[in-house]
Amino acid sequence: MRVLAFTLVFSVMNASMFNVVMPTISKEFNIGAADVTWLLTGYMIVYAVGSVVYGKLADKYRLKDLLTFGLIFFALGSVVGLFASEFWMMVVGRVLQAAGAAVIPATAMIVPVRYFSPEKRGRALGTTAIGLSLGTAIAPIVAGLITSFGSWRFLFLLSLFPLIALPFFRKYLDDYRGEAQKIDFIGGLLLSGTVAMLLLSISQGNWLFAVIGVILLILFIIRIRTAAEPFIQPKLFSNKQYSFGLLIAFLATGLSFGLPYVTPQFLSALNGLSPALIGLIMFPAAICSALLGRQGGKLADRRGNPLLVYIATTLIFICFVSLSIVVGISPYIVLFILIFGNVGQTFMQIAMSNTISRTLTKDQVGVGMGLFSLLNFIAGATATSIIGKMIEANHGSVHLNPLAIYADGYVFSNIFSIQALLAIVIIVLYYVQSRIITRPTISK
C-alpha cells in the first residue's frame, strides 16, 4: 500500500501540474488558449477511459503485468513530451502518458478490495487517500519551483519516478487472475467512444459531441444486452446498491472537484493573489487531509462507513457555508476553512469507495471499481464546467446567502451556497442507500 501511495502521488501530480505552465506553453508554440487545452483534454479523456479498461482487464490478467505495461507507457509518454519539438508531439506524449498512468487509479481501487477484508479495507483506502492528497497538495508548488529554476519540460521527468515502484509491485502482488474469458472489444470501443464524446461535449461546450455520445451509449447498451460475453455484464447495473452508490459518488465527486477548482478563481479575482501564494494558501488543507486520511479509514473499519459519511458531509457543509459568508475577505481565514472541506472530501472518498466495493462480487471488482473511477472523472468535468459557466455569467446582483459579507464576491458566494445544499442532498441519499444495503433478508 505504501508503494501504491507513492505511485499515486506522481499520477495525481502529472494530471494537474501542467495547469500552471499552460500560458508558457501557449507562447512557446505560438498557439491559442483553446488549442493548448488539448494537453489537458486529451489526457483527461484517455485517463478516464483507461481506468475502466484496465479495471476490466484486471478481471482476466495479472495485476502486476498490467502495472508493468502501464508504467512503461507512462515513462514512454514522458520521454516523448520531454523532447517534443512540435505541439502535436506534446499532445501525443500526454496521450501516451495517460494511456499508461490510467493503470494507477484502477489499481488503487482494486488492490484494497482484492487484498483486504471488509473489516480492514478502510485503512487501505485511507492509505491511497494519502497519495491522492499529497499529489494534489504539492503539484502546483513543485510545478512552480521547477518552472522558476528551469524549463517547464522538466515536469516530464517527474513522471519517470513511478518506474522505481515497478520492481516492488512485481514482488508484492501475487499471480491472481480471473477466469479465462474473451474481451468484448466492440463493447469496449463503444464505451470508450461514449465517454470520450461526453467529456468533449462538457469540456468544449459542443452539443454535437453530446449527441454522438448518446448514440454510442445506446449502441453500447444494445451490445452488452446481446453479446455472449459483454464488456460489462448487465447484471452489474441491476445491482440496486451498486447503482445507487454510483449516483451518490457522482454527486460527492462533483463537490470534491468543485472546491479546488473554484478556490484559485476567487483568491485571484477577489484577493489578487499570485499563483504561488494561492498554492501556499491551499497547501495546509491538503496536508491535513493527507495526515488524517488513514485515521478516517480506521474510523470506517471500527464504526462503519455511514458514520464516516455523516462526518464527511458535515465538514463539507461547514466549509461551503462558511466560504459563502466570508469569500472575498482575508485569505488566511479561507486557509483555515479549506481544512474542513479537504478533510471532509478525503473522508467521503474513503467511505464511498468502501461502500461501493462491498456491493460487488469478486468477479465484478475490476470492472465495477473501474466504472466507479470513470464516473469520478465525468463528475469532475461536469462540475468544473458548470461552475465555470456560473462564474462567466457573474450574476452578482443576486445572492442566495443574505449573510455574505463581500458584495463583489456574490457570484462565488452563490456557488458555495448551492454546493452546501448539494451536501445535504448527498447525506439524505446516502441514508436511503444505507437502508437498502442493511435491510434484513427474510429467510424461510
Side-chain angles (χ1 to χ4, degrees):
M1 292 306 303
R2 295 189 184 97
V3 175
L4 181 56
F6 167 82
T7 313
L8 271 169
V9 169
F10 291 95
S11 174
V12 174
M13 285 177 57
N14 189 71
S16 59
M17 63 186 177
F18 279 88
N19 294 356
V20 178
V21 298
M22 296 286 276
T24 305
I25 295 175
S26 178
K27 291 180 181 177
E28 181 167 328
F29 288 98
N30 194 27
I31 56 177
D35 293 330
V36 79
T37 58
W38 278 103
L39 288 177
L40 300 179
T41 304
Y43 187 94
M44 176 183 65
I45 291 173
V46 177
Y47 197 72
V49 171
S51 64
V52 70
V53 172
Y54 279 116
K56 175 63 177 179
L57 294 176
D59 289 333
K60 180 178 180 180
Y61 299 103
R62 297 190 307 177
L63 198 54
K64 62 172 65 177
D65 293 336
L66 294 178
L67 277 162
T68 301
F69 175 85
L71 293 182
I72 290 175
F73 253 71
F74 193 16
L76 177 63
S78 303
V79 173
V80 172
L82 179 64
F83 295 104
S85 58
E86 301 288 342
F87 179 70
W88 66 267
M89 295 176 64
M90 283 276 297
V91 175
V92 170
R94 290 287 286 168
V95 168
L96 289 175
Q97 276 189 325
V103 74
I104 301 172
T107 303
M109 293 292 178
I110 295 170
V111 168
V113 179
R114 181 177 289 178
Y115 295 100
F116 291 85
S117 64
E119 295 76 21
K120 298 181 179 179
R121 194 172 296 162
R123 290 177 224 188
L125 290 168
T127 302
T128 62
I130 292 174
L132 292 171
S133 299
L134 282 177
T136 302
I138 65 179
I141 296 175
V142 170
L145 289 174
I146 289 178
T147 52
S148 297
F149 295 99
S151 171
W152 57 266
R153 291 180 181 273
F154 292 149
L155 295 177
F156 283 103
L157 292 177
L158 295 177
S159 303
L160 299 177
F161 279 94
L163 286 177
I164 299 173
L166 185 54
F168 297 98
F169 279 126
R170 296 202 64 85
K171 176 182 178 181
Y172 293 123
L173 291 176
D174 60 22
D175 295 324
Y176 172 82
R177 68 176 75 208
E179 298 179 1
Q181 54 180 306
K182 294 181 179 179
I183 300 295
D184 179 21
F185 290 104
I186 296 178
L189 288 173
L190 288 173
L191 177 61
S192 301
T194 299
V195 175
M197 290 298 105
L198 291 179
L199 289 175
L200 279 173
S201 69
I202 294 170
S203 61
Q204 304 296 320
N206 191 322
W207 284 103
L208 178 60
F209 289 130
V211 172
I212 297 174
V214 170
I215 294 173
L216 291 175
L217 177 60
I218 294 172
L219 294 176
F220 172 71
I221 294 173
I222 295 173
R223 176 66 184 180
I224 64 174
R225 294 180 67 88
T226 56
E229 295 185 36
F231 190 80
I232 297 176
Q233 292 290 342
K235 65 180 181 180
L236 182 64
F237 299 108
S238 64
N239 183 337
K240 293 181 180 179
Q241 294 89 349
Y242 175 75
S243 300
F244 207 74
L246 288 183
L247 171 62
I248 299 172
F250 181 86
L251 297 175
T253 303
L255 283 181
S256 298
F257 272 81
L259 186 59
Y261 173 75
V262 75
T263 299
Q265 304 276 351
F266 77 77
L267 286 176
S268 175
L270 304 181
N271 299 105
L273 298 187
S274 65
L277 287 176
I278 291 173
L280 290 175
I281 292 294
M282 298 175 67
F283 183 73
I287 289 298
C288 287
S289 64
L291 294 175
L292 294 175
R294 189 166 174 80
Q295 299 304 316
K298 290 180 179 179
L299 182 61
D301 290 338
R302 290 197 304 263
R303 303 291 297 276
N305 292 317
L307 177 62
L308 191 61
V309 170
Y310 300 143
I311 293 174
T313 312
T314 301
L315 292 173
I316 293 171
F317 180 80
I318 291 173
C319 173
F320 286 134
V321 168
S322 301
L323 286 176
S324 72
I325 296 173
V326 305
V327 64
I329 64 174
S330 173
Y332 298 105
I333 297 177
V334 172
L335 181 152
F336 175 73
I337 294 174
L338 288 177
I339 295 175
F340 289 89
N342 280 40
V343 173
Q345 290 169 358
T346 298
F347 284 0
M348 180 66 76
Q349 177 197 358
I350 295 170
M352 290 310 305
S353 300
N354 208 351
T355 299
I356 289 176
S357 70
R358 295 187 182 209
T359 68
L360 299 169
T361 60
K362 189 174 183 179
D363 62 322
Q364 295 175 335
V365 166
V367 69
M369 297 307 289
L371 282 172
F372 171 62
S373 179
L374 170 66
L375 201 68
N376 287 343
F377 292 105
I378 298 176
T382 303
T384 53
S385 177
I386 292 174
I387 291 174
K389 293 185 183 305
M390 291 178 68
I391 295 174
E392 289 178 2
N394 194 18
H395 296 304
S397 59
V398 179
H399 56 284
L400 301 178
N401 189 343
L403 301 178
I405 298 174
Y406 192 58
D408 290 340
Y410 281 164
V411 62
F412 294 102
S413 176
N414 291 340
I415 291 172
F416 289 127
S417 297
I418 294 172
Q419 289 177 304
L421 293 174
L422 187 57
I424 298 176
V425 173
I426 289 172
I427 200 170
V428 172
L429 289 176
Y430 188 84
Y431 174 77
V432 173
Q433 193 237 19
S434 63
R435 297 284 294 179
I436 295 174
I437 292 176
T438 57
R439 183 179 296 167
T441 302
I442 301 176
S443 58
K444 293 183 180 179

